[in-house]
mmCIF file of all heavy atoms in Angstrom:
data_model
loop_
_atom_site.group_PDB
_atom_site.id
_atom_site.type_symbol
_atom_site.label_atom_id
_atom_site.label_comp_id
_atom_site.label_asym_id
_atom_site.label_seq_id
_atom_site.Cartn_x
_atom_site.Cartn_y
_atom_site.Cartn_z
ATOM 1 N N PHE A 254 39.740 25.843 59.250
ATOM 2 C CA PHE A 254 40.920 25.514 60.043
ATOM 3 C C PHE A 254 41.607 26.815 60.444
ATOM 4 O O PHE A 254 42.103 27.549 59.587
ATOM 5 C CB PHE A 254 41.858 24.616 59.238
ATOM 6 C CG PHE A 254 41.164 23.401 58.681
ATOM 7 C CD1 PHE A 254 40.783 23.354 57.347
ATOM 8 C CD2 PHE A 254 40.862 22.327 59.499
ATOM 9 C CE1 PHE A 254 40.120 22.256 56.833
ATOM 10 C CE2 PHE A 254 40.205 21.212 59.007
ATOM 11 C CZ PHE A 254 39.826 21.174 57.660
ATOM 12 N N TRP A 274 51.389 26.948 56.179
ATOM 13 C CA TRP A 274 51.365 25.844 55.213
ATOM 14 C C TRP A 274 50.558 24.667 55.749
ATOM 15 O O TRP A 274 49.897 23.960 54.977
ATOM 16 C CB TRP A 274 52.786 25.409 54.870
ATOM 17 C CG TRP A 274 53.385 26.263 53.797
ATOM 18 C CD1 TRP A 274 54.362 27.195 53.933
ATOM 19 C CD2 TRP A 274 53.017 26.281 52.410
ATOM 20 N NE1 TRP A 274 54.634 27.800 52.730
ATOM 21 C CE2 TRP A 274 53.824 27.257 51.779
ATOM 22 C CE3 TRP A 274 52.088 25.579 51.648
ATOM 23 C CZ2 TRP A 274 53.726 27.537 50.421
ATOM 24 C CZ3 TRP A 274 51.985 25.858 50.293
ATOM 25 C CH2 TRP A 274 52.791 26.821 49.693
ATOM 26 N N GLU A 276 47.915 24.854 57.718
ATOM 27 C CA GLU A 276 46.523 25.263 57.511
ATOM 28 C C GLU A 276 46.124 25.086 56.043
ATOM 29 O O GLU A 276 45.047 24.559 55.731
ATOM 30 C CB GLU A 276 46.372 26.721 57.952
ATOM 31 C CG GLU A 276 44.972 27.252 57.943
ATOM 32 C CD GLU A 276 44.920 28.692 58.429
ATOM 33 O OE1 GLU A 276 45.462 28.981 59.519
ATOM 34 O OE2 GLU A 276 44.358 29.539 57.700
ATOM 35 N N HIS A 277 47.010 25.492 55.141
ATOM 36 C CA HIS A 277 46.738 25.396 53.705
ATOM 37 C C HIS A 277 46.563 23.939 53.268
ATOM 38 O O HIS A 277 45.640 23.611 52.510
ATOM 39 C CB HIS A 277 47.877 26.058 52.937
ATOM 40 C CG HIS A 277 47.706 26.066 51.456
ATOM 41 N ND1 HIS A 277 46.652 26.703 50.828
ATOM 42 C CD2 HIS A 277 48.446 25.495 50.452
ATOM 43 C CE1 HIS A 277 46.753 26.538 49.518
ATOM 44 N NE2 HIS A 277 47.828 25.798 49.278
ATOM 45 N N ARG A 278 47.445 23.041 53.734
ATOM 46 C CA ARG A 278 47.340 21.628 53.356
ATOM 47 C C ARG A 278 46.059 21.005 53.892
ATOM 48 O O ARG A 278 45.441 20.163 53.221
ATOM 49 C CB ARG A 278 48.551 20.848 53.866
ATOM 50 C CG ARG A 278 49.887 21.271 53.268
ATOM 51 C CD ARG A 278 49.904 21.176 51.760
ATOM 52 N NE ARG A 278 51.215 21.567 51.220
ATOM 53 C CZ ARG A 278 51.401 22.074 50.032
ATOM 54 N NH1 ARG A 278 50.361 22.300 49.234
ATOM 55 N NH2 ARG A 278 52.613 22.388 49.605
ATOM 56 N N LEU A 279 45.639 21.406 55.083
ATOM 57 C CA LEU A 279 44.380 20.892 55.620
ATOM 58 C C LEU A 279 43.196 21.322 54.763
ATOM 59 O O LEU A 279 42.283 20.531 54.504
ATOM 60 C CB LEU A 279 44.188 21.359 57.063
ATOM 61 C CG LEU A 279 44.999 20.607 58.117
ATOM 62 C CD1 LEU A 279 44.958 21.340 59.450
ATOM 63 C CD2 LEU A 279 44.485 19.183 58.280
ATOM 64 N N TYR A 280 43.194 22.570 54.313
ATOM 65 C CA TYR A 280 42.119 23.007 53.418
ATOM 66 C C TYR A 280 42.130 22.203 52.118
ATOM 67 O O TYR A 280 41.072 21.762 51.633
ATOM 68 C CB TYR A 280 42.247 24.501 53.110
ATOM 69 C CG TYR A 280 41.607 25.389 54.145
ATOM 70 C CD1 TYR A 280 42.366 26.264 54.920
ATOM 71 C CD2 TYR A 280 40.233 25.362 54.357
ATOM 72 C CE1 TYR A 280 41.783 27.070 55.879
ATOM 73 C CE2 TYR A 280 39.635 26.177 55.314
ATOM 74 C CZ TYR A 280 40.411 27.028 56.063
ATOM 75 O OH TYR A 280 39.821 27.820 57.011
ATOM 76 N N GLN A 281 43.308 21.988 51.534
ATOM 77 C CA GLN A 281 43.383 21.205 50.306
ATOM 78 C C GLN A 281 42.826 19.801 50.517
ATOM 79 O O GLN A 281 42.034 19.305 49.709
ATOM 80 C CB GLN A 281 44.833 21.134 49.823
ATOM 81 C CG GLN A 281 45.373 22.442 49.277
ATOM 82 C CD GLN A 281 46.837 22.336 48.884
ATOM 83 O OE1 GLN A 281 47.639 21.711 49.569
ATOM 84 N NE2 GLN A 281 47.194 22.968 47.774
ATOM 85 N N ALA A 282 43.248 19.149 51.598
ATOM 86 C CA ALA A 282 42.770 17.799 51.869
ATOM 87 C C ALA A 282 41.272 17.784 52.145
ATOM 88 O O ALA A 282 40.551 16.864 51.706
ATOM 89 C CB ALA A 282 43.535 17.213 53.061
ATOM 90 N N SER A 283 40.781 18.797 52.841
ATOM 91 C CA SER A 283 39.357 18.878 53.146
ATOM 92 C C SER A 283 38.523 18.980 51.868
ATOM 93 O O SER A 283 37.491 18.310 51.723
ATOM 94 C CB SER A 283 39.097 20.094 54.044
ATOM 95 O OG SER A 283 37.723 20.295 54.255
ATOM 96 N N PHE A 284 38.963 19.793 50.911
ATOM 97 C CA PHE A 284 38.236 19.912 49.650
ATOM 98 C C PHE A 284 38.288 18.609 48.860
ATOM 99 O O PHE A 284 37.329 18.248 48.166
ATOM 100 C CB PHE A 284 38.800 21.059 48.816
ATOM 101 C CG PHE A 284 38.615 22.418 49.451
ATOM 102 C CD1 PHE A 284 39.589 23.396 49.327
ATOM 103 C CD2 PHE A 284 37.476 22.713 50.180
ATOM 104 C CE1 PHE A 284 39.433 24.636 49.913
ATOM 105 C CE2 PHE A 284 37.308 23.959 50.774
ATOM 106 C CZ PHE A 284 38.289 24.927 50.634
ATOM 107 N N LEU A 285 39.422 17.899 48.934
ATOM 108 C CA LEU A 285 39.522 16.607 48.248
ATOM 109 C C LEU A 285 38.524 15.611 48.836
ATOM 110 O O LEU A 285 37.921 14.817 48.101
ATOM 111 C CB LEU A 285 40.947 16.064 48.341
ATOM 112 C CG LEU A 285 42.024 16.834 47.574
ATOM 113 C CD1 LEU A 285 43.394 16.225 47.836
ATOM 114 C CD2 LEU A 285 41.744 16.881 46.071
ATOM 115 N N LEU A 286 38.339 15.640 50.142
ATOM 116 C CA LEU A 286 37.345 14.778 50.779
ATOM 117 C C LEU A 286 35.931 15.169 50.381
ATOM 118 O O LEU A 286 35.085 14.307 50.122
ATOM 119 C CB LEU A 286 37.479 14.865 52.304
ATOM 120 C CG LEU A 286 38.716 14.241 52.942
ATOM 121 C CD1 LEU A 286 38.807 14.636 54.414
ATOM 122 C CD2 LEU A 286 38.686 12.720 52.813
ATOM 123 N N TYR A 289 36.059 15.776 45.683
ATOM 124 C CA TYR A 289 36.847 15.037 44.699
ATOM 125 C C TYR A 289 36.824 13.525 44.883
ATOM 126 O O TYR A 289 37.507 12.810 44.154
ATOM 127 C CB TYR A 289 38.312 15.512 44.736
ATOM 128 C CG TYR A 289 38.516 16.902 44.209
ATOM 129 C CD1 TYR A 289 38.145 18.018 44.968
ATOM 130 C CD2 TYR A 289 39.077 17.129 42.955
ATOM 131 C CE1 TYR A 289 38.333 19.309 44.495
ATOM 132 C CE2 TYR A 289 39.270 18.409 42.475
ATOM 133 C CZ TYR A 289 38.894 19.492 43.239
ATOM 134 O OH TYR A 289 39.075 20.775 42.762
ATOM 135 N N PHE A 296 45.686 9.930 51.410
ATOM 136 C CA PHE A 296 46.591 11.013 51.762
ATOM 137 C C PHE A 296 47.945 10.481 52.248
ATOM 138 O O PHE A 296 48.008 9.458 52.944
ATOM 139 C CB PHE A 296 45.974 11.910 52.836
ATOM 140 C CG PHE A 296 44.725 12.618 52.385
ATOM 141 C CD1 PHE A 296 43.603 12.645 53.189
ATOM 142 C CD2 PHE A 296 44.677 13.249 51.156
ATOM 143 C CE1 PHE A 296 42.451 13.293 52.790
ATOM 144 C CE2 PHE A 296 43.530 13.893 50.734
ATOM 145 C CZ PHE A 296 42.411 13.917 51.543
ATOM 146 N N LEU A 304 50.193 15.743 57.318
ATOM 147 C CA LEU A 304 50.432 15.893 55.886
ATOM 148 C C LEU A 304 51.791 16.559 55.663
ATOM 149 O O LEU A 304 52.141 17.484 56.404
ATOM 150 C CB LEU A 304 49.337 16.759 55.253
ATOM 151 C CG LEU A 304 47.917 16.198 55.272
ATOM 152 C CD1 LEU A 304 46.918 17.289 54.877
ATOM 153 C CD2 LEU A 304 47.785 14.998 54.342
ATOM 154 N N THR A 308 54.213 19.322 49.985
ATOM 155 C CA THR A 308 53.574 18.581 48.905
ATOM 156 C C THR A 308 52.072 18.787 48.915
ATOM 157 O O THR A 308 51.419 18.573 49.943
ATOM 158 C CB THR A 308 53.860 17.070 49.033
ATOM 159 O OG1 THR A 308 55.251 16.860 49.174
ATOM 160 C CG2 THR A 308 53.357 16.320 47.810
ATOM 161 N N ASP A 309 51.516 19.188 47.792
ATOM 162 C CA ASP A 309 50.075 19.204 47.590
ATOM 163 C C ASP A 309 49.576 17.758 47.703
ATOM 164 O O ASP A 309 50.074 16.876 47.002
ATOM 165 C CB ASP A 309 49.813 19.783 46.200
ATOM 166 C CG ASP A 309 48.360 19.725 45.770
ATOM 167 O OD1 ASP A 309 47.582 18.947 46.348
ATOM 168 O OD2 ASP A 309 48.008 20.439 44.826
ATOM 169 N N PRO A 310 48.596 17.455 48.574
ATOM 170 C CA PRO A 310 48.184 16.056 48.742
ATOM 171 C C PRO A 310 47.634 15.412 47.474
ATOM 172 O O PRO A 310 47.794 14.207 47.277
ATOM 173 C CB PRO A 310 47.120 16.123 49.848
ATOM 174 C CG PRO A 310 46.741 17.563 49.960
ATOM 175 C CD PRO A 310 47.917 18.349 49.515
ATOM 176 N N LYS A 311 47.021 16.178 46.598
ATOM 177 C CA LYS A 311 46.537 15.612 45.349
ATOM 178 C C LYS A 311 47.695 15.267 44.417
ATOM 179 O O LYS A 311 47.718 14.212 43.773
ATOM 180 C CB LYS A 311 45.578 16.588 44.660
ATOM 181 C CG LYS A 311 44.884 16.014 43.422
ATOM 182 C CD LYS A 311 43.908 17.012 42.839
ATOM 183 C CE LYS A 311 43.167 16.424 41.662
ATOM 184 N NZ LYS A 311 42.244 17.398 41.036
ATOM 185 N N ARG A 372 50.716 21.223 35.483
ATOM 186 C CA ARG A 372 50.335 20.325 36.566
ATOM 187 C C ARG A 372 49.779 19.000 36.056
ATOM 188 O O ARG A 372 50.010 17.949 36.659
ATOM 189 C CB ARG A 372 49.282 20.990 37.460
ATOM 190 C CG ARG A 372 49.830 22.096 38.328
ATOM 191 C CD ARG A 372 48.744 22.721 39.191
ATOM 192 N NE ARG A 372 48.072 21.758 40.056
ATOM 193 C CZ ARG A 372 48.574 21.302 41.202
ATOM 194 N NH1 ARG A 372 49.759 21.709 41.612
ATOM 195 N NH2 ARG A 372 47.897 20.451 41.933
#
Side-chain angles (χ1 to χ4, degrees):
F254 307 102
W274 276 108
E276 186 179 308
H277 182 61
R278 296 303 181 208
L279 282 168
Y280 275 116
Q281 289 177 320
S283 174
F284 295 144
L285 292 176
L286 290 170
Y289 290 75
F296 296 134
L304 295 168
T308 309
D309 174 341
K311 187 177 183 182
R372 288 180 58 79

